[in-house]
Amino acid sequence: MIIDTEENSWIYKRDKSVRRPLDEIFLRTVEGIPYLRPEIQLLHKAGGSQVREKDYNDFQTMLPSLLPQEKAWLKSSLNRQFPEGHAWVKFL
C-alpha cells in the first residue's frame, strides 16, 4: 500500500493526484509502534472495484473515531477517485 512514493510523498496507486507527505502517513501507538493512518487504510478498502462487506464493516467501526480532518481527507480523496460518487461519501 505504501510502495508508491516520489521524493518525500506517498502516492495513492489508484489515483496519482492523491498524495501525502511520507512523514504524515503513520501514527504511533503509546508504545511507539507505527501504523498506517486509518483514513489511508480506509481509502484502500474503499478504492477497489467492489467494496467487500468486511471493508464496509471496518469503515463503520472506524467512522466514529475519525477526526474531522481525517474524514475530510478521506471524503476529498474518494471524490477525486470517484467523481461520479461513492457510497461512503454520504457518511463523511
Side-chain angles (χ1 to χ4, degrees), residues 28-40:
R28 293 192 177 272
T29 66
V30 293
E31 296 84 13
I33 300 168
Y35 63 95
L36 191 61
R37 295 187 71 90
E39 67 271 25
I40 294 174

Side-chain angles (χ1 to χ4, degrees), residues 1-2 4 14-15 18 27 32 36 47 65 75 79-80 91:
M1 280 187 275
I2 58 171
D4 294 337
R14 293 182 175 128
D15 183 332
V18 177
L27 296 173
L36 191 61
S65 63
K75 182 177 184 177
N79 283 330
R80 281 185 186 177
F91 298 106

Side-chain angles (χ1 to χ4, degrees), residues 16-73:
K16 305 291 186 203
S17 71
V18 177
R19 298 168 176 247
R20 291 283 286 263
L22 282 174
D23 61 352
E24 292 181 11
I25 65 170
F26 293 104
L27 296 173
R28 293 192 177 272
T29 66
V30 293
E31 296 84 13
I33 300 168
Y35 63 95
L36 191 61
R37 295 187 71 90
E39 67 271 25
I40 294 174
Q41 182 66 47
L42 289 171
L43 177 62
H44 281 279
K45 290 175 168 284
S49 58
Q50 186 80 9
V51 175
R52 301 172 298 184
E53 182 178 347
K54 68 179 189 171
D55 295 329
Y56 178 73
N57 291 340
D58 288 346
F59 172 68
Q60 290 295 330
T61 298
M62 288 303 301
L63 187 60
S65 63
L66 291 177
L67 299 173
Q69 63 269 23
E70 294 167 337
K71 289 178 185 179
W73 183 89

